[in-house]
Amino acid sequence: MQHLLLAVSGMTPQIITETLYGIYCKTPQKMPTAIKVITTSDGKDRLCNTLMGPDGHLQKFCQDYGLPLIPFSVDDVLVPAGDDGKLLEDVRSEREQAILGDFITGIVRTFCNDGQLAVHASLAGGRKTMGFSLGYAMSLFGRPQDCLTHVLVSAPYEEVPDFYYPTPATVMRTDRNKNRHYDLSRAQVTLAEIPLVLMREEMPTDLMRRQDLSYTETIERVNQALQLNQNTASIKLNYDHLTVICNERPVVMKPDCFAFYSFIAHDTVAYPEEGMEPPLEGMSMANIQQWLQQWANSLLPPAQRAQAGDNAESVIETVDDYLSRMPDVSTPASLLKNTSDNGILIAGDADAANLCKKLKHLWDRLLRETNDQLKDALGQRLAEHYQIKTVSKLRISGGKRPLECKGLMLLPEHIDL
């Protein structure tokens, strides 16, 4: 895994080499192989003039401690543009603060979506709002391999302009007033890790991917997800687009999963808190066909269900015809084709016991895949409100354990079919 140092900086580029020194002393196995710095145009000039090139302090640091040279060029200095298209010189207004916050949020989101990268974020430099935005973005998007730190420099070395890191040998430099000399090798630099409250798993998944969402919009979406509960969660089924709208957040599903979710939703409205039992061993052929018919029929808009026929084959044929005329369905235009477990359910197999086993496999797959699609689209915390869950248990005579009856943990009046 590669390690990236991501820092915010203003007019104190020293925090880059100070942080690198702290990492070298504390966790040398995690020395960054890349550096990205978020700053303003004025800060960019200072970084370029002091850290880059053969005479820059970054190369001197690597040479002093026998480390491979860490690449660092103007392309690694990230500066947002203002509303006028020019690079921000500083952060002096509420609007400029918002621009920088959005910029930092987008960068952190991008780097934390790279599974081959561990992000070491430093908030030691820049204005306080920059450090806050970086820290909060790391809480939103950070993963267990990422970290957030600050560097603490012992007095009086913060007042020594030419101090960039403790040198391995004696190097004397004066303070700002040129009154006293100090040995840079005697400075103490402490890398203080700031624990992150990792919220990534609690957030809607689309917030991980969407670069168009601002910092403010991201926080609003997170707060909405955290405030949602059983009394406020609701769904609406869109049959034209095979979409479950979860409190205004659309989740597009595969046809078989949408039909299954609709099937369960209808049952929840009709029999709240009872749940639907999974296919039972010993089901008759008539019951199997009825289950298939009801499942397939659930994909159709309410107005078309009565036209689908009264057996599984005719219903599935109607559903396939309906799917074939949907221009925006990219999944296979058939409820039964191209799947290993459900295509044979109506293939003329007269063995009810065998079909019953296949129907149970179909149930298990649809339950798993439907819930996974909700989790992938919404994130685990938000999806919990809409997923198909065990709502009751049914004990069958002679059964080793009770059957888990599945349904939605939503109020029936909050389910719009």
Side-chain angles (χ1 to χ4, degrees), residues 159-209:
E159 301 302 319
V160 178
D162 289 334
F163 176 74
Y164 279 79
Y165 58 90
T167 54
T170 296
V171 175
M172 304 302 295
R173 291 290 186 269
T174 61
D175 60 14
R176 296 185 188 281
N177 298 321
K178 302 186 182 301
N179 293 329
R180 299 186 62 180
H181 288 77
Y182 296 97
D183 181 358
L184 302 188
S185 68
R186 300 186 65 181
Q188 299 293 316
V189 171
T190 303
L191 186 71
E193 185 163 349
I194 302 170
L196 285 170
V197 179
L198 297 179
M199 300 174 63
R200 187 183 184 92
E201 296 302 320
E202 308 293 325
M203 290 171 54
T205 305
D206 66 340
L207 295 186
M208 300 294 108
R209 308 182 183 122

Short mmCIF file of all heavy atoms in Angstrom, two decimals, residues 159-209:
data_model
loop_
_atom_site.label_atom_id
_atom_site.label_comp_id
_atom_site.label_asym_id
_atom_site.label_seq_id
_atom_site.Cartn_x
_atom_site.Cartn_y
_atom_site.Cartn_z
N GLU A 159 9.84 30.02 16.54
CA GLU A 159 10.23 31.41 16.26
C GLU A 159 11.50 31.49 15.44
O GLU A 159 12.02 32.59 15.22
CB GLU A 159 10.40 32.17 17.57
CG GLU A 159 9.16 32.20 18.45
CD GLU A 159 7.98 32.82 17.73
OE1 GLU A 159 8.18 33.82 17.02
OE2 GLU A 159 6.86 32.29 17.87
N VAL A 160 12.01 30.35 14.99
CA VAL A 160 13.23 30.35 14.17
C VAL A 160 12.81 30.19 12.72
O VAL A 160 12.34 29.12 12.31
CB VAL A 160 14.17 29.21 14.58
CG1 VAL A 160 15.41 29.18 13.68
CG2 VAL A 160 14.58 29.36 16.05
N PRO A 161 12.94 31.22 11.89
CA PRO A 161 12.41 31.18 10.52
C PRO A 161 12.97 30.05 9.68
O PRO A 161 12.27 29.52 8.82
CB PRO A 161 12.82 32.55 9.96
CG PRO A 161 13.02 33.42 11.14
CD PRO A 161 13.54 32.53 12.21
N ASP A 162 14.22 29.69 9.90
CA ASP A 162 14.86 28.67 9.05
C ASP A 162 14.74 27.26 9.64
O ASP A 162 15.46 26.37 9.20
CB ASP A 162 16.34 29.01 8.84
CG ASP A 162 16.52 30.21 7.93
OD1 ASP A 162 15.62 30.45 7.11
OD2 ASP A 162 17.54 30.90 8.05
N PHE A 163 13.88 27.08 10.60
CA PHE A 163 13.69 25.73 11.15
C PHE A 163 12.66 24.98 10.31
O PHE A 163 11.50 25.41 10.20
CB PHE A 163 13.24 25.78 12.60
CG PHE A 163 12.95 24.40 13.15
CD1 PHE A 163 13.99 23.54 13.46
CD2 PHE A 163 11.65 23.96 13.31
CE1 PHE A 163 13.73 22.26 13.92
CE2 PHE A 163 11.38 22.69 13.78
CZ PHE A 163 12.42 21.83 14.08
N TYR A 164 13.10 23.86 9.73
CA TYR A 164 12.20 23.02 8.92
C TYR A 164 12.10 21.60 9.49
O TYR A 164 11.11 20.92 9.24
CB TYR A 164 12.66 22.98 7.47
CG TYR A 164 12.24 24.20 6.70
CD1 TYR A 164 12.95 25.40 6.84
CD2 TYR A 164 11.13 24.18 5.87
CE1 TYR A 164 12.56 26.54 6.15
CE2 TYR A 164 10.73 25.32 5.18
CZ TYR A 164 11.43 26.50 5.33
OH TYR A 164 11.05 27.63 4.66
N TYR A 165 13.10 21.17 10.25
CA TYR A 165 13.10 19.86 10.90
C TYR A 165 14.36 19.78 11.76
O TYR A 165 15.33 20.52 11.52
CB TYR A 165 13.09 18.73 9.87
CG TYR A 165 14.25 18.77 8.89
CD1 TYR A 165 15.46 18.10 9.17
CD2 TYR A 165 14.17 19.49 7.70
CE1 TYR A 165 16.53 18.15 8.30
CE2 TYR A 165 15.23 19.55 6.82
CZ TYR A 165 16.41 18.88 7.12
OH TYR A 165 17.48 18.95 6.26
N PRO A 166 14.36 18.94 12.76
CA PRO A 166 15.59 18.76 13.55
C PRO A 166 16.68 18.11 12.69
O PRO A 166 16.47 17.02 12.13
CB PRO A 166 15.16 17.83 14.68
CG PRO A 166 13.67 17.97 14.75
CD PRO A 166 13.24 18.19 13.33
N THR A 167 17.76 18.77 12.54
CA THR A 167 18.85 18.25 11.70
C THR A 167 19.61 17.16 12.46
O THR A 167 19.67 17.18 13.70
CB THR A 167 19.81 19.37 11.32
OG1 THR A 167 20.25 20.04 12.51
CG2 THR A 167 19.13 20.37 10.41
N PRO A 168 20.20 16.18 11.75
CA PRO A 168 20.95 15.12 12.45
C PRO A 168 22.25 15.61 13.06
O PRO A 168 22.79 14.97 13.98
CB PRO A 168 21.20 14.08 11.33
CG PRO A 168 21.05 14.82 10.06
CD PRO A 168 20.08 15.94 10.31
N ALA A 169 22.78 16.73 12.58
CA ALA A 169 24.00 17.31 13.15
C ALA A 169 23.74 18.77 13.50
O ALA A 169 22.73 19.36 13.09
CB ALA A 169 25.15 17.20 12.14
N THR A 170 24.63 19.34 14.24
CA THR A 170 24.46 20.72 14.69
C THR A 170 24.40 21.70 13.52
O THR A 170 25.28 21.71 12.64
CB THR A 170 25.62 21.13 15.62
OG1 THR A 170 25.57 20.32 16.79
CG2 THR A 170 25.51 22.60 16.02
N VAL A 171 23.35 22.50 13.53
CA VAL A 171 23.19 23.60 12.57
C VAL A 171 22.64 24.78 13.36
O VAL A 171 21.58 24.68 13.98
CB VAL A 171 22.22 23.24 11.42
CG1 VAL A 171 21.99 24.46 10.53
CG2 VAL A 171 22.74 22.07 10.61
N MET A 172 23.35 25.89 13.36
CA MET A 172 22.95 27.05 14.14
C MET A 172 22.18 28.05 13.27
O MET A 172 22.55 28.35 12.14
CB MET A 172 24.18 27.75 14.73
CG MET A 172 25.06 26.85 15.58
SD MET A 172 24.20 26.09 16.99
CE MET A 172 23.79 27.55 17.96
N ARG A 173 21.05 28.53 13.85
CA ARG A 173 20.23 29.53 13.17
C ARG A 173 19.74 30.54 14.20
O ARG A 173 19.58 30.22 15.39
CB ARG A 173 19.03 28.89 12.48
CG ARG A 173 19.41 28.02 11.28
CD ARG A 173 19.90 28.89 10.11
NE ARG A 173 20.13 28.09 8.92
CZ ARG A 173 21.28 27.52 8.58
NH1 ARG A 173 22.33 27.65 9.40
NH2 ARG A 173 21.40 26.83 7.47
N THR A 174 19.45 31.79 13.73
CA THR A 174 18.99 32.84 14.63
C THR A 174 17.47 32.89 14.68
O THR A 174 16.79 32.39 13.78
CB THR A 174 19.51 34.21 14.17
OG1 THR A 174 19.00 34.49 12.88
CG2 THR A 174 21.04 34.23 14.15
N ASP A 175 16.96 33.54 15.73
CA ASP A 175 15.52 33.75 15.82
C ASP A 175 15.11 34.91 14.91
O ASP A 175 15.94 35.48 14.20
CB ASP A 175 15.11 34.01 17.26
CG ASP A 175 15.78 35.24 17.86
OD1 ASP A 175 16.36 36.05 17.09
OD2 ASP A 175 15.72 35.41 19.08
N ARG A 176 13.80 35.25 14.95
CA ARG A 176 13.29 36.28 14.03
C ARG A 176 13.98 37.63 14.23
O ARG A 176 14.17 38.40 13.29
CB ARG A 176 11.78 36.43 14.22
CG ARG A 176 10.99 35.20 13.87
CD ARG A 176 9.50 35.47 13.95
NE ARG A 176 8.73 34.24 13.81
CZ ARG A 176 8.48 33.66 12.65
NH1 ARG A 176 8.94 34.20 11.53
NH2 ARG A 176 7.79 32.54 12.60
N ASN A 177 14.34 37.93 15.48
CA ASN A 177 14.95 39.23 15.78
C ASN A 177 16.46 39.20 15.68
O ASN A 177 17.12 40.21 15.95
CB ASN A 177 14.54 39.67 17.19
CG ASN A 177 13.04 39.87 17.30
OD1 ASN A 177 12.40 40.37 16.37
ND2 ASN A 177 12.46 39.46 18.43
N LYS A 178 16.99 38.03 15.30
CA LYS A 178 18.44 37.84 15.15
C LYS A 178 19.19 38.17 16.44
O LYS A 178 20.33 38.66 16.43
CB LYS A 178 18.98 38.69 13.99
CG LYS A 178 18.32 38.37 12.65
CD LYS A 178 18.98 39.12 11.52
CE LYS A 178 18.28 38.84 10.19
NZ LYS A 178 18.27 37.42 9.82
N ASN A 179 18.53 37.86 17.56
CA ASN A 179 19.15 38.13 18.86
C ASN A 179 19.88 36.92 19.41
O ASN A 179 20.91 37.05 20.08
CB ASN A 179 18.09 38.58 19.87
CG ASN A 179 17.52 39.93 19.52
OD1 ASN A 179 18.21 40.77 18.95
ND2 ASN A 179 16.26 40.15 19.87
N ARG A 180 19.36 35.73 19.13
CA ARG A 180 19.95 34.51 19.71
C ARG A 180 20.12 33.45 18.64
O ARG A 180 19.40 33.43 17.64
CB ARG A 180 19.06 33.98 20.83
CG ARG A 180 18.89 34.96 22.00
CD ARG A 180 18.13 34.32 23.13
NE ARG A 180 18.86 33.17 23.67
CZ ARG A 180 18.43 32.42 24.68
NH1 ARG A 180 17.27 32.68 25.24
NH2 ARG A 180 19.16 31.40 25.11
N HIS A 181 21.06 32.55 18.88
CA HIS A 181 21.31 31.43 17.98
C HIS A 181 20.81 30.15 18.63
O HIS A 181 20.95 29.97 19.86
CB HIS A 181 22.82 31.30 17.67
CG HIS A 181 23.32 32.38 16.76
ND1 HIS A 181 23.57 33.68 17.20
CD2 HIS A 181 23.60 32.37 15.43
CE1 HIS A 181 23.99 34.40 16.19
NE2 HIS A 181 24.03 33.63 15.10
N TYR A 182 20.27 29.28 17.79
CA TYR A 182 19.74 28.00 18.30
C TYR A 182 20.24 26.85 17.43
O TYR A 182 20.37 26.98 16.20
CB TYR A 182 18.21 28.02 18.30
CG TYR A 182 17.62 29.05 19.24
CD1 TYR A 182 17.22 30.30 18.75
CD2 TYR A 182 17.49 28.79 20.60
CE1 TYR A 182 16.68 31.25 19.60
CE2 TYR A 182 16.96 29.75 21.45
CZ TYR A 182 16.56 30.98 20.95
OH TYR A 182 16.05 31.92 21.80
N ASP A 183 20.50 25.74 18.08
CA ASP A 183 20.96 24.53 17.41
C ASP A 183 19.73 23.75 16.92
O ASP A 183 18.96 23.23 17.74
CB ASP A 183 21.79 23.69 18.38
CG ASP A 183 22.33 22.42 17.73
OD1 ASP A 183 22.04 22.17 16.55
OD2 ASP A 183 23.05 21.68 18.44
N LEU A 184 19.55 23.66 15.61
CA LEU A 184 18.36 23.01 15.06
C LEU A 184 18.30 21.52 15.43
O LEU A 184 17.21 20.96 15.49
CB LEU A 184 18.34 23.15 13.53
CG LEU A 184 18.34 24.57 12.96
CD1 LEU A 184 18.13 24.54 11.46
CD2 LEU A 184 17.28 25.44 13.63
N SER A 185 19.44 20.92 15.69
CA SER A 185 19.44 19.49 16.00
C SER A 185 18.83 19.19 17.37
O SER A 185 18.50 18.04 17.67
CB SER A 185 20.86 18.93 15.94
OG SER A 185 21.66 19.46 17.00
N ARG A 186 18.69 20.22 18.20
CA ARG A 186 18.17 20.01 19.55
C ARG A 186 16.66 20.24 19.65
O ARG A 186 16.08 20.10 20.72
CB ARG A 186 18.90 20.93 20.52
CG ARG A 186 20.41 20.69 20.55
CD ARG A 186 21.10 21.51 21.61
NE ARG A 186 20.69 21.10 22.94
CZ ARG A 186 21.12 21.65 24.08
NH1 ARG A 186 21.99 22.67 24.00
NH2 ARG A 186 20.70 21.24 25.24
N ALA A 187 16.05 20.59 18.56
CA ALA A 187 14.59 20.82 18.57
C ALA A 187 13.85 19.50 18.77
O ALA A 187 14.31 18.42 18.37
CB ALA A 187 14.16 21.47 17.28
N GLN A 188 12.71 19.59 19.39
CA GLN A 188 11.83 18.44 19.58
C GLN A 188 10.57 18.62 18.75
O GLN A 188 9.88 19.64 18.87
CB GLN A 188 11.45 18.30 21.07
CG GLN A 188 12.64 18.08 22.00
CD GLN A 188 13.29 16.73 21.76
OE1 GLN A 188 12.60 15.72 21.60
NE2 GLN A 188 14.62 16.73 21.73
N VAL A 189 10.29 17.65 17.90
CA VAL A 189 9.08 17.66 17.09
C VAL A 189 8.25 16.44 17.44
O VAL A 189 8.73 15.31 17.38
CB VAL A 189 9.41 17.66 15.58
CG1 VAL A 189 8.14 17.45 14.75
CG2 VAL A 189 10.09 18.97 15.18
N THR A 190 7.02 16.70 17.85
CA THR A 190 6.12 15.61 18.25
C THR A 190 4.99 15.50 17.25
O THR A 190 4.31 16.48 16.95
CB THR A 190 5.54 15.87 19.65
OG1 THR A 190 6.61 16.02 20.58
CG2 THR A 190 4.63 14.72 20.08
N LEU A 191 4.79 14.29 16.74
CA LEU A 191 3.67 14.02 15.84
C LEU A 191 2.51 13.53 16.68
O LEU A 191 2.55 12.43 17.24
CB LEU A 191 4.06 12.97 14.80
CG LEU A 191 3.04 12.70 13.69
CD1 LEU A 191 2.96 13.89 12.75
CD2 LEU A 191 3.40 11.44 12.91
N ALA A 192 1.48 14.35 16.80
CA ALA A 192 0.32 14.02 17.63
C ALA A 192 -0.82 13.54 16.75
O ALA A 192 -1.32 14.29 15.90
CB ALA A 192 -0.11 15.24 18.43
N GLU A 193 -1.22 12.28 16.93
CA GLU A 193 -2.32 11.76 16.14
C GLU A 193 -3.65 12.17 16.76
O GLU A 193 -3.84 12.11 17.98
CB GLU A 193 -2.24 10.23 16.05
CG GLU A 193 -3.31 9.64 15.14
CD GLU A 193 -3.00 8.22 14.72
OE1 GLU A 193 -1.88 7.74 14.94
OE2 GLU A 193 -3.91 7.60 14.13
N ILE A 194 -4.56 12.59 15.92
CA ILE A 194 -5.89 13.02 16.34
C ILE A 194 -6.87 11.92 15.98
O ILE A 194 -7.05 11.61 14.79
CB ILE A 194 -6.28 14.34 15.65
CG1 ILE A 194 -5.25 15.43 15.97
CG2 ILE A 194 -7.68 14.78 16.08
CD1 ILE A 194 -5.41 16.67 15.14
N PRO A 195 -7.49 11.27 16.96
CA PRO A 195 -8.41 10.16 16.65
C PRO A 195 -9.54 10.63 15.75
O PRO A 195 -10.11 11.71 15.94
CB PRO A 195 -8.93 9.73 18.02
CG PRO A 195 -7.90 10.21 19.00
CD PRO A 195 -7.36 11.48 18.41
N LEU A 196 -9.84 9.82 14.77
CA LEU A 196 -10.92 10.13 13.83
C LEU A 196 -12.19 9.37 14.22
O LEU A 196 -12.13 8.18 14.55
CB LEU A 196 -10.53 9.72 12.41
CG LEU A 196 -9.52 10.60 11.68
CD1 LEU A 196 -9.07 9.92 10.39
CD2 LEU A 196 -10.12 11.96 11.37
N VAL A 197 -13.30 10.06 14.18
CA VAL A 197 -14.60 9.39 14.28
C VAL A 197 -14.96 8.99 12.86
O VAL A 197 -15.40 9.83 12.05
CB VAL A 197 -15.68 10.32 14.87
CG1 VAL A 197 -17.02 9.60 14.94
CG2 VAL A 197 -15.25 10.80 16.25
N LEU A 198 -14.75 7.73 12.51
CA LEU A 198 -14.95 7.28 11.14
C LEU A 198 -16.44 7.10 10.86
O LEU A 198 -17.10 6.24 11.44
CB LEU A 198 -14.20 5.97 10.90
CG LEU A 198 -12.68 6.06 11.04
CD1 LEU A 198 -12.05 4.70 10.80
CD2 LEU A 198 -12.10 7.09 10.08
N MET A 199 -16.95 7.93 9.95
CA MET A 199 -18.38 7.92 9.65
C MET A 199 -18.68 7.32 8.28
O MET A 199 -19.83 7.30 7.86
CB MET A 199 -18.91 9.36 9.71
CG MET A 199 -18.73 10.02 11.06
SD MET A 199 -19.23 11.76 11.03
CE MET A 199 -20.97 11.61 10.65
N ARG A 200 -17.66 6.85 7.61
CA ARG A 200 -17.82 6.39 6.23
C ARG A 200 -18.91 5.32 6.10
O ARG A 200 -19.75 5.38 5.20
CB ARG A 200 -16.49 5.84 5.72
CG ARG A 200 -16.48 5.48 4.25
CD ARG A 200 -15.14 4.89 3.84
NE ARG A 200 -15.09 4.64 2.41
CZ ARG A 200 -14.64 5.49 1.51
NH1 ARG A 200 -14.19 6.67 1.89
NH2 ARG A 200 -14.64 5.19 0.23
N GLU A 201 -18.91 4.35 7.00
CA GLU A 201 -19.88 3.26 6.92
C GLU A 201 -21.29 3.71 7.29
O GLU A 201 -22.25 3.01 7.03
CB GLU A 201 -19.45 2.12 7.84
CG GLU A 201 -18.14 1.46 7.44
CD GLU A 201 -18.16 0.91 6.03
OE1 GLU A 201 -19.21 0.34 5.64
OE2 GLU A 201 -17.17 1.05 5.31
N GLU A 202 -21.38 4.88 7.93
CA GLU A 202 -22.68 5.38 8.34
C GLU A 202 -23.33 6.25 7.25
O GLU A 202 -24.49 6.64 7.38
CB GLU A 202 -22.54 6.23 9.61
CG GLU A 202 -21.81 5.53 10.75
CD GLU A 202 -22.59 4.36 11.28
OE1 GLU A 202 -23.82 4.43 11.32
OE2 GLU A 202 -21.96 3.35 11.66
N MET A 203 -22.60 6.54 6.21
CA MET A 203 -23.06 7.52 5.23
C MET A 203 -23.70 6.88 4.01
O MET A 203 -23.37 5.74 3.67
CB MET A 203 -21.88 8.38 4.78
CG MET A 203 -21.35 9.33 5.84
SD MET A 203 -19.82 10.10 5.32
CE MET A 203 -20.31 10.78 3.74
N PRO A 204 -24.59 7.60 3.35
CA PRO A 204 -25.09 7.13 2.05
C PRO A 204 -23.93 6.90 1.09
O PRO A 204 -23.05 7.74 0.97
CB PRO A 204 -25.98 8.29 1.58
CG PRO A 204 -26.38 8.99 2.84
CD PRO A 204 -25.21 8.86 3.77
N THR A 205 -23.95 5.77 0.41
CA THR A 205 -22.81 5.39 -0.43
C THR A 205 -22.57 6.38 -1.55
O THR A 205 -21.43 6.61 -1.95
CB THR A 205 -23.04 3.99 -1.01
OG1 THR A 205 -23.29 3.09 0.08
CG2 THR A 205 -21.82 3.50 -1.76
N ASP A 206 -23.63 7.00 -2.09
CA ASP A 206 -23.41 7.91 -3.21
C ASP A 206 -22.59 9.13 -2.80
O ASP A 206 -21.98 9.78 -3.64
CB ASP A 206 -24.73 8.34 -3.86
CG ASP A 206 -25.61 9.18 -2.94
OD1 ASP A 206 -25.41 9.13 -1.71
OD2 ASP A 206 -26.50 9.87 -3.45
N LEU A 207 -22.53 9.43 -1.50
CA LEU A 207 -21.70 10.54 -1.04
C LEU A 207 -20.22 10.21 -1.19
O LEU A 207 -19.38 11.11 -1.23
CB LEU A 207 -22.00 10.88 0.42
CG LEU A 207 -23.39 11.43 0.72
CD1 LEU A 207 -23.49 11.85 2.17
CD2 LEU A 207 -23.74 12.59 -0.19
N MET A 208 -19.89 8.92 -1.26
CA MET A 208 -18.51 8.52 -1.44
C MET A 208 -18.04 8.81 -2.87
O MET A 208 -16.86 9.00 -3.12
CB MET A 208 -18.34 7.02 -1.19
CG MET A 208 -18.71 6.54 0.20
SD MET A 208 -17.61 7.19 1.46
CE MET A 208 -18.70 8.37 2.24
N ARG A 209 -18.98 8.84 -3.80
CA ARG A 209 -18.62 8.88 -5.22
C ARG A 209 -18.87 10.23 -5.87
O ARG A 209 -18.18 10.61 -6.81
CB ARG A 209 -19.42 7.82 -5.98
CG ARG A 209 -19.32 6.43 -5.36
CD ARG A 209 -20.11 5.44 -6.20
NE ARG A 209 -20.11 4.10 -5.61
CZ ARG A 209 -21.21 3.43 -5.28
NH1 ARG A 209 -22.39 3.97 -5.48
NH2 ARG A 209 -21.13 2.22 -4.76
#
